[in-house]
Amino acid sequence: MRIGFVGCGAIGSCYASYLSRKHEVCVLDTYAPVIESIKKNGILLDECAPGSGTGETVSFRPAMATTDPKEIGVVDLLIVFVHYQYLEAAVRNALPMIDRHTMILCLQNGLGNYDEIAKVVPEEQICCGTTAHGCTFLEPGHVRHTGRGITNVGTLKGPYANAEKVADALRQAGFEAAAHENVMQLIWHKLFANIAINAITALLDQTNATVAENPYEHTLAENMVREAVAVANATGCHFDVEAELKNAFDVAIATGTNRSSMLQDVTRQRETEIKIINGAVVKTGKEAGIPTPYNELICQLIQAKQSFYMKK
């Protein structure tokens, strides 16, 4: 399969690397230093995932790396790993890589990514889902693979066969992957863990395990997840709050030494994805008439924190 990537940051580099072993992978990134590094060295991946990583740095060479989507041309599958706030513009820029047969996949954290992509391409072509892989950005073209797990794929308006095709392409390259008919249930399920972990670790500059181990963090995380489950259930989902709390804290422990993606954004002084993680709970809660004071407060704190460096 001919697979294009829009965005080659931490998690994009991981997927592009492993997929390049079995597929023709073409990487598009507007940040020139990333492309220059990949052209020179390949994608450098430190294989440090517990239970499978050797600790070695491996170079994976995609078929093409460029800042110009016209050089790549039309692909069968376009995987988009770009932050929410840049998604619409990034997909518009990538239109030379898309025709009516191209499937577009987004696996980013949060709620709202799908809607941004749907502003540009027909919903029938969009697949969405979740990833349990973890990665840390080291420098342009070089990332550390810190955790692995299942990739879940589904469609909201498109044919289910597309989700199966994407999952099969991932499995061919060694990923654990599954297609699901009710993918929104899985997206909310992962969101609960992000709600528990990301903003707190970003505010306190701590690794994931502290959310489960520190009693103050634990209480705050629990209150935010309880609000989020109430909101999700108000939209028609069916979650058991105690089971979701257990999973969120299990994830925090299992990824204990990781620095969350939001903490990485704050460290690199980038805009965070707070609007589509805790912010999505606040927005959906208002629409459903469910109060979300804990999530609302932490959104304000993260936005205050990033306002100090974003104005520079």
Side-chain angles (χ1 to χ4, degrees):
M1 183 179 285
R2 195 162 196 261
I3 302 177
F5 275 81
V6 176
C8 205
I11 193 70
S13 293
C14 174
Y15 274 79
S17 293
Y18 291 131
L19 283 167
S20 69
R21 296 184 297 193
K22 292 293 183 179
H23 302 281
E24 181 185 352
V25 168
C26 301
V27 172
L28 174 71
D29 201 298
T30 58
Y31 186 50
V34 168
I35 298 303
E36 291 166 5
S37 177
I38 293 172
K39 284 182 174 179
K40 180 179 179 181
N41 305 311
I43 300 173
L44 299 178
L45 187 73
D46 294 359
E47 296 190 310
C48 300
S52 62
T54 62
E56 297 180 357
T57 300
V58 181
S59 173
F60 296 87
R61 292 193 174 272
M64 184 183 297
T66 180
T67 58
D68 183 357
K70 294 178 183 177
E71 290 186 7
I72 295 175
V74 173
V75 296
D76 302 307
L77 170 63
L78 185 70
I79 303 179
V80 185
F81 278 117
V82 178
H83 271 211
Y84 162 81
Q85 57 268 31
Y86 311 118
L87 255 179
E88 180 184 354
V91 177
R92 287 195 188 281
N93 181 57
L95 280 174
M97 301 167 66
I98 301 170
D99 70 5
R100 62 190 182 91
H101 302 294
T102 303
M103 298 174 289
I104 297 92
L105 173 65
C106 60
L107 298 171
Q108 297 97 313
N109 292 335
L111 292 175
N113 299 297
Y114 179 98
D115 297 330
E116 293 299 298
I117 295 172
K119 292 177 181 178
V120 185
V121 299
E123 291 186 69
E124 291 76 16
Q125 294 179 237
I126 304 174
C127 297
C128 56
T130 64
T131 173
H133 286 263
C135 281
T136 300
F137 178 90
L138 300 177
E139 59 184 346
H142 188 183
V143 302
R144 178 179 295 121
H145 189 197
T146 58
R148 65 187 307 123
I150 192 167
T151 303
N152 295 302
V153 183
T155 58
L156 300 185
K157 297 288 183 68
Y160 179 66
N162 282 358
E164 293 180 315
K165 289 178 186 176
V166 172
D168 184 60
L170 290 165
R171 286 192 292 266
Q172 289 175 32
F175 285 93
E176 181 186 1
H180 296 269
E181 293 186 354
N182 187 2
V183 71
M184 283 307 300
Q185 186 88 2
L186 295 167
I187 290 173
W188 271 107
H189 176 67
K190 184 181 180 186
L191 184 63
F192 299 143
N194 293 144
I195 286 164
I197 295 168
N198 288 27
I200 294 176
T201 57
L203 281 172
L204 300 178
D205 192 14
Q206 297 294 325
T207 54
N208 292 2
T210 63
V211 172
E213 296 168 349
N214 181 283
Y216 304 103
E217 292 181 59
H218 190 288
T219 298
L220 176 55
E222 178 177 339
N223 287 328
M224 292 192 297
V225 171
R226 286 189 182 278
E227 290 178 355
V229 170
V231 169
N233 286 345
T235 69
C237 294
H238 302 282
F239 289 106
D240 176 77
V241 67
E242 299 303 327
E244 296 307 319
L245 283 167
K246 181 181 184 304
N247 177 72
F249 291 122
D250 285 349
V251 170
I253 292 297
T255 61
T257 59
N258 287 11
R259 294 170 64 83
S260 72
S261 59
M262 195 175 294
L263 174 54
Q264 292 184 55
D265 285 338
V266 169
T267 302
R268 295 170 62 194
Q269 298 197 340
R270 295 175 53 179
E271 186 175 355
T272 71
E273 295 178 303
I274 191 68
K275 292 179 181 178
I276 58 166
I277 298 179
N278 303 79
V281 175
V282 174
K283 179 178 181 291
T284 311
K286 288 179 178 177
E287 294 168 353
I290 306 292
T292 57
Y294 287 99
N295 281 281
E296 188 166 350
L297 176 58
I298 207 154
C299 285
Q300 293 169 343
L301 290 170
I302 288 289
Q303 288 173 318
K305 187 177 183 72
Q306 70 185 24
S307 72
F308 289 108
Y309 59 77
M310 292 293 291
K311 68 181 180 182
K312 295 178 182 179

